Amino acid sequence: GFIFNNPNSGWEAKAVEFFKDHLKEKDAHTWVPSLNDVPLHYLKPNSLVKFRCLIQDMFDPEFYMGVYEAVDPSTKAKVLRCGKYKDVTECGVRSLPNTVTAERQTFYCVPIPGENPWVKEISSSCLARVVPSTSYAPTRQKRSYEEDDDMDDMDTQMQREPHTGMSCCLSPQSPTEQHGNGDCKRRETEAPSSQTAPASHLDLNFPLPGEKGPSCLVKVYEDWDGFKLNDTLEVFGILSVSPALSALADKKDASSSLLDPTECMETAEEQRVHSPPASLVPRLHVLYAKPLPHNNPLLPSATLEDNSAFLSSTLSEMASVRAELLTFLTPILLGDALAAEYLILHLISNVYSRRDVLPLGKFTLNLSGCPTVASYTERFYQIIQQLVPSSYYLGMSLQNMNQMRFVPKKDYSANRLVSGALQLARNTSLFLDETQLEQGQLDTAGVRNVTALGNLITWQKVDYDFNYHQMEFPCNINVLIASEGRSLLPSDCQIHLQSQITPPHMEEYLSSIHVHPQASQLNKFRMYLSVARLLNYSISDEVTKSVEDDFVDMRKDDPQSISAEDLHRMLVVARLLSLSLGQTSLSRDSWLRAKHIELLRRSRMEQHTCVNGNEP
Amino acid sequence: MSSPTSTPGGRKRGRNTNPSTPSSEGPTSPPSQRRRGQDSSTGDLMPMPTSPATDMLSPAAPQDNSLLSSPRPSGTNLLPNEVDMSSPLMYGTPSSRVEGTPRSGVRGTPARQRPDLGSVRKAPQVDLQSEPPSADGAVTSESNTGQRLVIWGTDVNVGTCKEKFQRKVMVFISVVGDPVLNVNCLHVQSFDAELYRQLICYPQEVIPTFDMAVNELFFERFPDSILEFQIQVRPYNALKTRNMRNLNPEDIDQLITISGMVIRTSQLIPEMQEAFFQCQVCAFSTRVEVDRGRIAEPSVCRNCNTTHSLAIVHNRSVFSDKQMVKIQESPEDMPAGQTPHTTIVYAHNDLVDKVQPGDRINITGVYRAVPMRANPRQSNVKSVYKTHIDAIHFHKTDEKRLHGLDEDAEQKLFTEDRVQTLKELAAKPDVYERLSSALAPSIYEHEDIKKGILLQLFGGARKDFSQTGRGNFRADVNILLCGDPGTSKSQLLQYVYNLVPRGQYTSGKGSSAVGLTAYVMRDPETRQLVLQTGALVLSDNGICCIDEFDKMSDSTRSVLHEVMEQQTLSIAKAGIICQLNARTSVLAAANPIESQWNPKKTTIENIQLPHTLLSRFDLIFLMLDPQDEAYDRRLAHHLVSLYYQSEEQIEEEFLDMAVLRDYIAYARTYINPRLSEEASQALIEAYVDMRKIGSGRGMVSAYPRQLESLIRLAEAHAKVRFSEKVETIDVEEAKRLHREALKQSATDPRTGFVDISILTTGMSATARKRKEEVAQALKKLIQAKGKTPAMKYQQLLEDLRGQSENAITKELFDEALRALADEDYLTVTGKTVRLLA
């Protein structure tokens, strides 16, 4: 690709445009192998890959050689080369007059935290269907990096790939079986991938404990101001795993001269974090990044507005799916249909807007009266996990509250944002199990964690700790609190479980509800919940009027019966109820129904208060 | 002062040349390489006793030339960004080089290296009329033909530049303290825009020229003065870049000023400037300058021709101080949803240890980019540059906050357009209403409360009477909101906290006295005791929002007494005794003791706060549920519309939060209203009226504190109008708002009158009267009983109840007993009451 080396031909914009167009084509994205599903050592370096991820941290912008001069080894002539989309240049040490310095931004990206196994399974099977598993001879592994000249033919490869289909290997064989040569083994020992040795020396900074998967340094070349921390993206870009990158971090103390002022300044920690071994944290040079409104692989990738056929067919089915889901959830909630109804409302809730500091549309549910026997809450969570694309179970045991890091904190010596459990993608379901809480003392960290949870629920924001100051990051997390009595955390709505099961039979009953529904049914539920969340909603003037009248009437009868806060909640319930039925505007019926279920819930609470007596 | 071109272009590193020893020219003549600053205080070296070579320093006049480095022009690749910036070498003030005969003053004063400018040599100069390649020769005749000479690769003409700067210095600068001259770039710009442009674009060349100019000027005027080293010029306040986020490749090698916060400083790094080698065989010594972090070790001793006999002698090599400072974008400069950027700064020489982590600074320096080597043995280069800033000047923006207002730091820059928009907004007659409705639009009505908070955001005018011994007068307005739970008090607080740049939000339940004030902590790294400031100090010049004020412990609350009137915070902890400024407005919210507000009780009784604290609030508002149908309807409409209006509609209806924020910031910075004659008259009248209201009933309804409140509110209202004068309308509004707040909070529920003593003494005048009556009745009762030295408490209470027409509560009885005890009439021990005397 000589034309690619001419900086003036405008080829660059054209090439990027070419890729963007192709990736927008129907199913085009399924040609591209995904870093989420394919182990890194099966992927060809300098090839096009995609990555579904969350921006965990933003590093400082970096300056690189956009265009530089090099000497062609065969002709000895000076040629200009493009430094975009690569990490290493092969020119001499000298920077020459023709060098153009350009700027790019690096994001540290991790797989979407708490992404449930079914999402991973379905998205990887999507890929396998389209790409036949051809055998792939990994040329890279046989070469040492000194003679690696893949760079040169990168351009032509890029041209070829979208047409021929990516060659990548999806067979379940292990790499050593498939290519039983010495090089392979050597590579394995050289750079332990996350499967073989769980990177003891390098913390990949996943928000949630126990997460797996590659993290990636994503290099963005344009419009990086449009990205925000915790955005979920699907990134298409060129994979760069040049071992030279990691060499930098490893050999540091050995050979670099102490006198080099640029190298002795950074702490070893910072170097490790910002230039981790490429075999562990590959670099991805972005051609095109698509923000993900959701990570449900069952939904078509186009937005709902663009896909009216899909939308209308789903809308008509929603009421029936809802009924099915209700029947499915009721036995899990010990036969309590009202609680099941509220659970559905909770699962489709979403912060759709903010008025100054007030988040609108959030619906934190406190499910009180959960039995503590037979690990009910864990089972319950397993069901939730089957339904939503990403979720996290947080047992609020004293130990967890005192020891876990909830709030991300800036580590200035490594110059990175150390993640915490509350750094979650939008619409993640956070399941707080308060039945795990026992008596005891919360220490300072514990108090801070409880405050952080409270802020998250009330304001839908997390104050990240930057040591010298705090910084507020808005979030959109569905919090579900399972507790015995009323939760110590605030919530938008509390409902006390009315068990239809008598306590002696509880254990027996619980062990029997562990039924797996059919996959097709599950998928229907999954689609339903994701679609309901994405719908638009409005209230007509007429209904507005009647809602106002209702409110005034209720206040007239008994001013104590309903406060502004109650009206807030009723409006949210009405909104979610309408959406759960596939109605995009509030009808009189839905409003009455919302009022009705609120009434039921409140009467139950009063009942409960009387029984318990210790509530204020 | 010529530099013969016999060795063209081999090394572009300039080297000291000494015309008197022409033999020393050439790459193989290290003896001529001498450090100019040899006799400077930092590099005080012993003269070498034995060496016969010419590198010995003899402090004779002819050799003074060697104090200076001479530019070594080299042919092609000396682009500005090409000049090596990684290895700070010596820097010599070129002054005496240009002057053929050095002045006595300059000669006696050592030049000090300027590693901050990286390249120590001056870049070559070229005659504009000759071709660049012949620049080698052109440089020789510089000062005579100076007018047409420019530094190669730039358009800087040394002569003109120098002259301009000297004239500028004469205009702007009078006194020099340290041998450092800080120059405000804004002054340079207003003096000569072209000079300013050159300074910004070619700092590496222009600043040495400035040095040269200022030294000439100085020694011309004060030829006999003795300085530690030659004067160095340190420009600051370059307008080129303000924000770290805007740095881009075009700023490389330019002079920039950015603001930020220091997050980390490294230890002092001794950086070798010049290596000292000694031959193991003949003890011949030689010096080698460090070139880009590398030392070219001589392999052959020039004296005895032994190979590999030279060994480095560390304690005779020359080092300079260097420190890495990491700064981070200030939180105010950042777009939402992004993480702050950081930049590495290198501080050199006396700038080392000038800043500490946590300091807010403005830093002026040269932005640098250095390519990173992936592996020294490899030709491949990581295609990434490392960037850093070589600091020339630090300015701490929060330094003065402990003592006074720092105008520079407070000044937020507004673009012309923005100021225009704000002024247009201010000219609107209903700006006050507009702004107050833009405040927390999601909260319904409570117009007066929003207006009160708006005035609080603007604040009164700061008055300093410390000259006359009366200290500072509080300019900040304090507001207390009380009311039923669930009346969106917290939401209002959250909004204010998010609106103001220096706001703190704390809850009375969670915060302790130390969290509010300051505490002493041992730094985990240095083991030093450090003072950590709490919410009140952090919100200096801002607003401290305290939720659940009533839940606060007494000891915590007592801290607020000082803060809310004196606006200082005294600390005596772990040997640290100090008084910190806490000029903060307090916006507090309190819930009634009972779950609902009891309208039959006074404010004090409802929220159970000490009246001493309450009287320090300028405005106390009740946020109650009005329970009225029309209100309900409007509220319902408001809430429903929240749930269906699209974002665009919302935008249209209300002022943008950013505009509001800028409006407030502008007014706080630039508007400083003073009372007009009429306004003072109106204030006096208002105060007299307030006193009059109560006097008829034997009550005092206003205290001087209320007058001060009125003044503050009137000033704040004038600020809202962007008016430099407080007019009668401001006083009117202040009066109205004050009255509204009083009506709500200081109405005696028993009489229905506004009674300020509820807030100032905690008891209404009627209640006080009643207490006295009961005490008298009790006294009579006891006297009627005759000579009984001891009585049963319960019995006495029942007797009094039976006698009195009004209901006597136990509290009232206790108070009466206490009053009598105060008169030394009786004492109460347990359940018995004893008469005294």
Side-chain angles (χ1 to χ4, degrees):
Chain A
F2 273 106
I3 53 150
F4 291 104
N5 289 330
N6 182 352
N8 300 322
S9 65
W11 63 272
E12 195 187 301
K14 281 183 206 150
V16 172
E17 208 47 48
F18 173 82
F19 281 110
K20 279 188 189 164
D21 288 347
H22 269 266
L23 291 168
K24 276 177 195 152
E25 271 173 38
K26 195 170 159 39
D27 288 337
H29 58 277
T30 47
W31 301 335
V32 184
S34 164
L35 264 180
N36 299 81
D37 310 316
V38 185
L40 184 59
H41 50 268
Y42 288 137
L43 291 171
K44 221 169 170 210
N46 307 321
S47 67
L48 187 68
V49 295
K50 66 176 180 186
F51 187 40
R52 193 174 61 248
C53 58
L54 168 123
I55 302 177
Q56 192 271 325
D57 196 3
M58 294 167 149
F59 291 162
D60 296 326
E62 61 186 25
F63 293 172
Y64 67 99
M65 297 175 205
V67 177
Y68 62 93
E69 210 174 72
V71 180
D72 192 285
S74 51
T75 60
K76 303 285 176 214
K78 279 186 183 172
V79 282
L80 287 180
R81 282 174 191 273
C82 173
K84 225 175 166 184
Y85 309 119
K86 46 175 107 169
D87 285 305
V88 177
T89 65
E90 54 282 85
C91 73
V93 201
R94 308 278 313 162
S95 48
L96 297 159
N98 285 323
T99 307
V100 174
T101 309
E103 192 181 4
R104 67 186 174 203
Q105 172 71 279
T106 308
F107 297 143
Y108 187 83
C109 294
V110 295
I112 295 173
E115 197 173 64
N116 283 321
W118 65 267
V119 177
K120 296 193 165 91
E121 234 163 73
I122 293 174
S123 28
S124 69
S125 67
C126 266
L127 200 65
R129 207 175 52 233
V130 183
V131 182
S133 88
T134 53
S135 64
Y136 157 55
T139 50
R140 171 168 66 100
Q141 298 180 358
K142 291 180 186 149
R143 297 182 183 186
S144 73
Y145 55 78
E146 281 87 357
E147 57 198 25
D148 185 1
D149 56 0
D150 269 359
M151 283 294 188
D152 294 295
D153 46 52
M154 175 185 93
D155 308 322
T156 43
Q157 269 178 19
M158 277 162 50
Q159 287 264 306
R160 205 171 53 227
E161 274 148 13
H163 303 293
T164 56
M166 272 311 292
S167 51
C168 69
C169 180
L170 289 160
S171 69
Q173 289 160 300
S174 82
T176 27
E177 272 171 346
Q178 208 181 2
H179 335 281
N181 57 33
D183 283 327
C184 218
K185 276 203 188 101
R186 197 197 63 190
R187 265 202 66 79
E188 287 289 334
T189 48
E190 253 178 15
S193 61
S194 50
Q195 302 100 303
T196 51
S200 55
H201 64 291
L202 190 73
D203 174 16
L204 288 181
N205 214 3
F206 295 124
L208 300 175
E211 289 264 298
K212 276 207 290 275
S215 54
C216 198
L217 283 170
V218 172
K219 313 255 178 182
V220 186
Y221 288 84
E222 53 197 3
D223 302 327
W224 49 79
D225 288 339
F227 296 98
K228 290 198 155 93
L229 201 73
N230 303 342
D231 274 358
T232 45
L233 304 172
E234 185 155 56
V235 176
F236 294 88
I238 295 159
L239 182 71
S240 162
V241 284
S242 171
L245 295 170
S246 29
L248 187 80
D250 296 337
K251 55 92 216 192
K252 189 188 74 70
D253 36 17
S255 58
S256 78
S257 86
L258 261 177
L259 285 163
D260 193 328
T262 58
E263 266 166 76
C264 63
M265 289 302 174
E266 282 191 334
T267 60
E269 259 171 301
E270 187 168 349
Q271 284 230 351
R272 212 179 298 143
V273 166
H274 287 257
S275 342
S279 52
L280 210 52
V281 182
R283 319 299 197 254
L284 198 57
H285 297 267
V286 176
L287 289 173
Y288 170 56
K290 181 174 78 174
L292 289 178
H294 61 83
N295 62 330
N296 189 339
L298 295 165
L299 256 55
S301 56
T303 51
L304 286 182
E305 287 81 24
D306 300 345
N307 206 336
S308 53
F310 172 79
L311 187 64
S312 58
S313 74
T314 353
L315 278 185
S316 59
E317 275 174 23
M318 279 182 83
S320 68
V321 182
R322 182 185 198 273
E324 233 175 289
L325 182 58
L326 202 62
T327 356
F328 171 67
L329 288 177
T330 310
I332 294 158
L333 292 167
L334 310 175
D336 187 341
L338 185 65
E341 183 131 2
Y342 270 98
L343 180 62
I344 294 178
L345 301 188
H346 163 77
L347 288 176
I348 63 169
S349 67
N350 174 36
V351 178
Y352 65 93
S353 166
R354 280 171 198 267
R355 279 302 287 275
D356 42 70
V357 291
L358 190 73
L360 296 177
K362 73 188 170 91
F363 195 65
T364 302
L365 188 64
N366 176 205
L367 209 58
S368 59
C370 290
T372 47
V373 290
S375 51
Y376 171 73
T377 43
E378 275 100 331
R379 281 170 198 230
F380 181 34
Y381 171 70
Q382 278 164 11
I383 304 286
I384 304 269
Q385 213 179 1
Q386 290 287 314
L387 295 174
V388 298
S390 26
S391 61
Y392 180 59
Y393 171 88
L394 180 60
M396 287 177 65
S397 63
L398 265 187
Q399 194 191 354
N400 272 350
M401 297 308 284
N402 282 338
Q403 290 175 3
M404 268 180 76
R405 190 188 297 111
F406 281 17
V407 175
K409 183 180 191 310
K410 181 83 176 185
D411 174 357
Y412 283 116
S413 64
N415 196 15
R416 71 160 164 186
L417 189 65
V418 179
S419 195
L422 294 187
Q423 189 175 22
L424 296 173
R426 54 182 298 171
N427 293 330
T428 306
S429 284
L430 179 62
F431 188 96
L432 298 177
D433 187 355
E434 212 181 272
T435 61
Q436 304 266 322
L437 197 57
E438 62 267 39
Q439 284 190 1
Q441 178 145 27
L442 281 181
D443 58 22
T444 334
V447 172
R448 225 172 273 152
N449 280 341
V450 173
T451 319
L453 283 178
N455 274 337
L456 168 72
I457 292 166
T458 327
W459 307 110
Q460 285 286 337
K461 61 160 193 182
V462 179
D463 289 317
Y464 288 17
D465 182 0
F466 280 82
N467 199 358
Y468 305 100
H469 60 101
Q470 291 192 329
M471 212 177 299
E472 186 180 300
F473 285 88
C475 57
N476 186 357
I477 298 171
N478 292 18
V479 186
L480 178 62
I481 312 164
S483 59
E484 279 181 83
R486 202 179 136 194
S487 167
L488 66 95
L489 294 166
S491 62
D492 295 311
C493 173
Q494 185 209 345
I495 182 156
H496 196 81
L497 267 189
Q498 239 164 26
S499 168
Q500 309 292 317
I501 319 297
T502 46
H505 301 113
M506 186 68 80
E507 217 145 326
E508 197 184 320
Y509 176 81
L510 287 178
S511 47
S512 71
I513 59 164
H514 199 64
V515 278
H516 278 295
Q518 285 183 328
S520 64
Q521 198 188 15
L522 262 182
N523 281 351
K524 233 186 329 183
F525 294 159
R526 291 163 180 167
M527 290 254 268
Y528 165 79
L529 292 175
S530 295
V531 169
R533 185 177 271 161
L534 294 169
L535 293 176
N536 286 321
Y537 174 76
S538 63
I539 306 177
S540 67
D541 289 348
E542 220 171 305
V543 181
T544 308
K545 185 85 184 57
S546 83
V547 169
E548 284 167 33
D549 290 343
D550 260 8
F551 179 69
V552 174
D553 287 347
M554 282 187 277
R555 295 270 295 181
K556 219 187 279 170
D557 298 343
D558 178 9
Q560 299 296 318
S561 71
I562 180 164
S563 65
E565 219 171 315
D566 293 327
L567 182 60
H568 262 294
R569 180 170 44 240
M570 272 164 69
L571 285 164
V572 177
V573 170
R575 175 194 155 90
L576 296 172
L577 196 68
S578 303
L579 292 178
S580 76
L581 290 162
Q583 300 165 355
T584 53
S585 75
L586 181 62
S587 65
R588 178 85 193 138
D589 278 353
S590 304
W591 170 248
L592 291 178
R593 194 161 161 191
K595 252 174 71 177
H596 178 66
I597 61 168
E598 269 291 276
L599 204 67
L600 286 180
R601 186 183 68 84
R602 285 167 65 114
S603 68
R604 193 186 276 192
M605 261 171 64
E606 274 153 31
Q607 240 175 32
H608 179 62
T609 315
C610 297
V611 174
N612 223 1
N614 60 356
E615 303 273 333
Chain B
M1 208 38 235
S2 74
S3 123
T5 58
S6 56
T7 56
R11 304 168 57 176
K12 70 190 187 77
R13 199 127 299 267
R15 173 178 321 115
N16 301 306
T17 55
N18 193 334
S20 64
T21 55
S23 62
S24 70
E25 260 317 297
T28 56
S29 57
S32 73
Q33 297 184 356
R34 285 210 11 267
R35 185 165 176 278
R36 309 163 293 335
Q38 203 148 20
D39 46 350
S40 78
S41 54
T42 50
D44 194 14
L45 293 180
M46 296 294 291
M48 285 146 288
T50 52
S51 169
T54 49
D55 70 318
M56 290 300 307
L57 174 73
S58 48
Q63 291 220 329
D64 269 331
N65 285 346
S66 66
L67 282 174
L68 307 155
S69 68
S70 108
R72 182 160 181 90
S74 79
T76 48
N77 46 10
L78 260 182
L79 276 180
N81 64 349
E82 188 24 38
V83 174
D84 164 42
M85 52 302 284
S86 66
S87 83
L89 294 175
M90 317 303 146
Y91 156 73
T93 331
S95 59
S96 53
R97 172 169 53 79
V98 177
E99 302 300 308
T101 52
R103 287 168 203 285
S104 58
V106 178
R107 183 178 55 198
T109 311
R112 194 172 186 186
Q113 62 208 34
R114 289 204 69 155
D116 48 358
L117 292 175
S119 168
V120 299
R121 304 147 312 283
K122 252 172 50 57
Q125 298 178 356
V126 263
D127 193 326
L128 275 181
Q129 281 150 6
S130 65
E131 287 167 278
S134 69
D136 276 358
V139 82
T140 59
S141 55
E142 42 190 299
S143 63
N144 305 327
T145 55
Q147 297 307 320
R148 274 167 311 158
L149 287 180
V150 294
I151 296 174
W152 208 91
T154 72
D155 57 1
V156 180
N157 180 309
V158 176
T160 339
C161 190
K162 219 170 69 182
E163 189 201 317
K164 273 183 185 173
F165 187 70
Q166 283 179 342
R167 274 194 286 132
K168 183 222 163 261
V169 169
M170 302 295 281
V171 175
F172 286 100
I173 291 134
S174 47
V175 187
V176 180
D178 284 324
V180 166
L181 179 66
N182 293 328
V183 176
N184 191 337
C185 292
L186 276 183
H187 294 170
V188 178
Q189 190 181 27
S190 61
F191 176 78
D192 186 326
E194 174 63 14
L195 186 66
Y196 172 76
R197 190 192 60 76
Q198 286 183 338
L199 171 64
I200 297 298
C201 295
Y202 310 109
Q204 202 164 318
E205 290 79 20
V206 174
I207 295 171
T209 319
F210 281 6
D211 281 356
M212 191 155 83
V214 78
N215 279 303
E216 272 174 36
L217 195 67
F218 180 80
F219 288 110
E220 197 171 278
R221 295 220 166 171
F222 313 100
D224 301 328
S225 55
I226 293 160
L227 292 177
E228 196 189 336
F229 52 87
Q230 289 189 7
I231 298 169
Q232 297 192 349
V233 173
R234 296 205 174 140
Y236 66 97
N237 208 5
L239 270 183
K240 174 79 182 153
T241 309
R242 276 280 164 175
N243 189 336
M244 207 181 290
R245 205 162 275 269
N246 300 337
L247 287 178
N248 63 46
E250 278 154 33
D251 295 321
I252 291 176
D253 286 318
Q254 306 216 334
L255 189 71
I256 54 166
T257 299
I258 57 172
S259 62
M261 188 174 65
V262 178
I263 52 170
R264 214 154 60 83
T265 55
S266 75
Q267 297 198 317
L268 189 144
I269 304 158
E271 192 178 41
M272 191 179 278
Q273 298 291 338
E274 197 176 62
F276 184 90
F277 286 97
Q278 194 164 38
C279 178
Q280 304 288 58
V281 179
C282 63
F284 170 82
S285 62
T286 182
R287 288 161 185 280
V288 180
E289 279 186 357
V290 177
D291 177 5
R292 277 184 258 184
R294 267 151 217 285
I295 308 167
E297 190 184 336
S299 53
V300 181
C301 174
R302 283 193 312 107
N303 194 37
C304 60
N305 282 328
T306 326
T307 53
H308 302 296
S309 64
L310 289 157
I312 196 163
V313 180
H314 277 278
N315 57 2
R316 291 181 67 180
S317 301
V318 179
F319 294 89
S320 72
D321 291 349
K322 178 170 178 173
Q323 186 183 35
M324 187 201 70
V325 177
K326 241 195 176 151
I327 62 170
Q328 180 187 284
E329 238 176 324
S330 6
E332 297 90 54
D333 292 344
M334 286 186 35
Q338 309 233 333
T339 57
H341 287 173
T342 55
T343 304
I344 297 175
V345 174
Y346 290 128
H348 301 276
N349 291 331
D350 59 323
L351 289 181
V352 167
D353 273 341
K354 273 276 154 58
V355 292
Q356 300 290 320
D359 287 347
R360 304 276 183 110
I361 57 168
N362 280 337
I363 160 166
T364 305
V366 185
Y367 195 44
R368 307 283 198 193
V370 189
M372 280 206 303
R373 254 183 302 272
N375 187 327
R377 289 182 297 271
Q378 231 186 316
S379 64
N380 280 5
V381 174
K382 226 178 140 184
S383 63
V384 176
Y385 294 96
K386 292 236 107 169
T387 52
H388 68 265
I389 298 170
D390 276 320
I392 292 175
H393 185 271
F394 285 132
H395 173 70
K396 281 194 209 181
T397 51
D398 54 358
E399 195 176 33
K400 284 188 240 154
R401 278 182 56 204
L402 279 180
H403 310 293
L405 277 184
D406 183 0
E407 297 302 330
D408 290 351
E410 291 298 308
Q411 251 168 40
K412 202 180 153 193
L413 282 174
F414 296 97
T415 58
E416 296 273 319
D417 290 354
R418 197 61 161 184
V419 173
Q420 198 54 40
T421 326
L422 296 181
K423 284 196 171 146
E424 272 167 27
L425 187 60
K428 295 206 165 109
D430 60 343
V431 59
Y432 181 52
E433 279 73 25
R434 264 169 198 263
L435 292 179
S436 71
S437 66
L439 204 69
S442 67
I443 297 161
Y444 185 60
E445 286 204 341
H446 299 300
E447 289 301 320
D448 283 333
I449 296 176
K450 285 190 187 175
K451 282 179 180 167
I453 291 177
L454 186 71
L455 295 188
Q456 178 182 38
L457 290 170
F458 283 88
R462 224 172 271 283
K463 304 167 204 69
D464 190 354
F465 292 112
S466 45
Q467 301 282 320
T468 52
R470 286 190 293 164
N472 281 312
F473 273 36
R474 169 159 71 98
D476 305 278
V477 178
N478 297 324
I479 293 182
L480 176 67
L481 309 172
C482 357
D484 293 335
T487 41
S488 46
K489 294 190 297 291
S490 308
Q491 207 182 315
L492 206 49
L493 258 57
Q494 273 282 339
Y495 181 87
V496 170
Y497 158 66
N498 277 295
L499 182 70
V500 294
R502 217 174 264 151
Q504 290 290 318
Y505 184 94
T506 150
S507 167
K509 220 197 291 181
S511 59
S512 58
V514 285
L516 276 181
T517 56
Y519 51 97
V520 178
M521 205 184 83
R522 199 174 282 281
D523 188 300
E525 272 173 37
T526 60
R527 310 294 300 155
Q528 272 177 335
L529 285 175
V530 284
L531 194 65
Q532 294 279 332
T533 46
L536 284 170
V537 182
L538 286 176
S539 56
D540 186 28
N541 284 319
I543 291 187
C544 187
C545 303
I546 308 175
D547 206 354
E548 310 200 52
F549 196 61
D550 50 311
K551 307 268 190 322
M552 203 176 259
S553 71
D554 289 342
S555 61
T556 315
R557 237 182 260 144
S558 64
V559 174
L560 287 169
H561 280 115
E562 186 189 349
V563 171
M564 287 175 65
E565 202 60 67
Q566 275 72 44
Q567 307 235 292
T568 53
L569 199 65
S570 308
I571 288 164
K573 272 192 187 93
I576 297 177
I577 298 168
C578 62
Q579 203 174 44
L580 300 171
N581 273 331
R583 292 153 305 187
T584 167
S585 308
V586 175
L587 175 62
N591 288 321
I593 287 296
E594 299 162 39
S595 62
Q596 286 283 317
W597 187 270
N598 188 344
K600 295 198 179 65
K601 289 184 170 176
T602 61
T603 309
I604 301 264
E605 286 162 341
N606 260 311
I607 54 176
Q608 296 283 319
L609 284 175
H611 57 84
T612 44
L613 199 54
L614 278 192
S615 65
R616 284 171 159 83
F617 284 102
D618 299 78
L619 298 171
I620 299 175
F621 287 108
L622 299 189
M623 276 181 107
L624 298 181
D625 210 340
Q627 303 186 355
D628 130 51
E629 191 182 321
Y631 172 83
D632 288 348
R633 181 167 296 279
R634 290 193 311 259
L635 175 67
H637 183 77
H638 174 78
L639 289 183
V640 178
S641 67
L642 267 186
Y643 282 87
Y644 73 81
Q645 267 182 342
S646 64
E647 303 235 358
E648 296 83 59
Q649 268 174 299
I650 297 166
E651 293 291 312
E652 273 171 34
E653 248 174 82
F654 297 103
L655 270 178
D656 192 8
M657 204 158 151
V659 176
L660 182 61
R661 197 180 281 137
D662 280 359
Y663 193 95
I664 293 170
Y666 186 87
R668 281 184 77 105
T669 317
Y670 297 105
I671 313 291
N672 219 343
R674 299 182 68 88
L675 289 178
S676 66
E677 192 51 45
E678 305 89 72
S680 350
Q681 212 51 49
L683 280 168
I684 293 167
E685 270 167 35
Y687 181 60
V688 171
D689 282 350
M690 280 162 75
R691 304 259 317 173
K692 253 192 225 151
I693 295 173
S695 60
R697 297 192 306 273
M699 300 186 297
V700 182
S701 56
Y703 289 93
R705 261 200 188 139
Q706 271 72 47
L707 178 59
E708 282 176 29
S709 290
L710 275 186
I711 296 173
R712 276 191 287 271
L713 293 171
E715 283 167 348
H717 189 262
K719 275 190 184 177
V720 174
R721 298 186 298 115
F722 277 11
S723 161
E724 286 290 346
K725 228 178 189 181
V726 181
E727 318 252 7
T728 336
I729 48 163
D730 302 317
V731 180
E732 286 306 315
E733 174 57 21
K735 255 165 68 184
R736 191 194 66 80
L737 206 58
H738 194 255
R739 203 172 48 232
E740 274 313 304
L742 270 185
K743 214 194 279 172
Q744 290 181 6
S745 58
T747 309
D748 186 341
R750 270 160 279 220
T751 61
F753 288 114
V754 171
D755 183 357
I756 193 70
S757 57
I758 290 176
L759 299 179
T760 50
T761 65
M763 202 182 266
S764 70
T766 17
R768 210 165 34 218
K769 212 161 137 201
R770 179 141 176 71
K771 189 180 95 180
E772 266 161 43
E773 280 167 11
V774 173
Q776 286 314 311
L778 181 63
K779 198 169 177 183
K780 253 187 219 149
L781 178 78
I782 294 169
Q783 278 164 347
K785 288 203 172 196
K787 288 183 179 114
T788 35
M791 285 158 288
K792 286 254 160 58
Y793 173 91
Q794 203 59 36
Q795 181 66 41
L796 204 57
L797 175 60
E798 271 159 35
D799 285 352
L800 187 66
R801 272 181 179 165
Q803 191 192 13
S804 172
E805 291 155 20
N806 299 331
I808 308 275
T809 58
K810 199 160 173 290
E811 289 89 55
L812 206 53
F813 179 66
D814 282 340
E815 272 179 26
L817 278 182
R818 224 175 293 137
L820 291 182
D822 286 346
E823 288 174 26
D824 283 342
Y825 182 70
L826 48 76
T827 58
V828 184
T829 45
K831 288 286 164 204
T832 38
V833 178
R834 279 171 216 283
L835 288 186
L836 293 172

